[in-house]
Amino acid sequence: MAGLFSGAPKHEAPEPLEGPVVATITGGTILWFVLFVVQLPFYGWFDDRGQAWWVWTCLAGGGLGLIGIWYVRRREAALKRAAAPEEPRETTGEPQSS
């Protein structure tokens, strides 16, 4: 097993894929909440069989998805700010101090 990780890699790792991250996370979050709402009427059935955690897992997935949406939106905004060229400072006619 040690032989698998020894030595230099034969080629460089590929660049990470970038795609519609915000849309993907939003879609997944909506899916978690839909699954929660669909299972909610059957809570008694799940509870009788000791499987109520299915319902609460969907709610937790939706809640974590909301945090994920917040995170990826801020990340995307930061990437756009970093990629944008700096705008020149406007002159107001006042002398600049050196």
Side-chain angles (χ1 to χ4, degrees):
M1 187 83 162
L4 288 175
F5 301 110
S6 63
K10 295 181 181 175
H11 51 82
E12 292 190 27
E15 291 293 320
L17 296 174
E18 290 292 333
V21 180
V22 176
T24 302
I25 301 300
T26 302
T29 302
I30 291 169
L31 183 62
W32 278 115
F33 279 124
V34 166
L35 288 171
F36 172 72
V37 170
V38 167
Q39 290 180 4
L40 203 53
F42 303 102
Y43 181 80
W45 185 87
F46 283 109
D47 196 35
D48 291 343
R49 288 158 180 76
Q51 302 293 321
W53 62 270
W54 282 84
V55 177
W56 302 119
T57 299
C58 293
L59 183 60
L64 290 172
L66 291 175
I67 295 170
I69 291 169
W70 172 79
Y71 176 80
V72 297
R73 289 186 69 199
R74 290 199 38 147
R75 177 183 177 269
E76 189 171 276
L79 289 173
K80 285 181 182 176
R81 278 193 311 270
E86 287 191 34
E87 296 177 10
R89 294 178 62 185
E90 294 183 22
T91 58
T92 58
E94 298 177 10
Q96 295 179 351
S97 60
S98 326

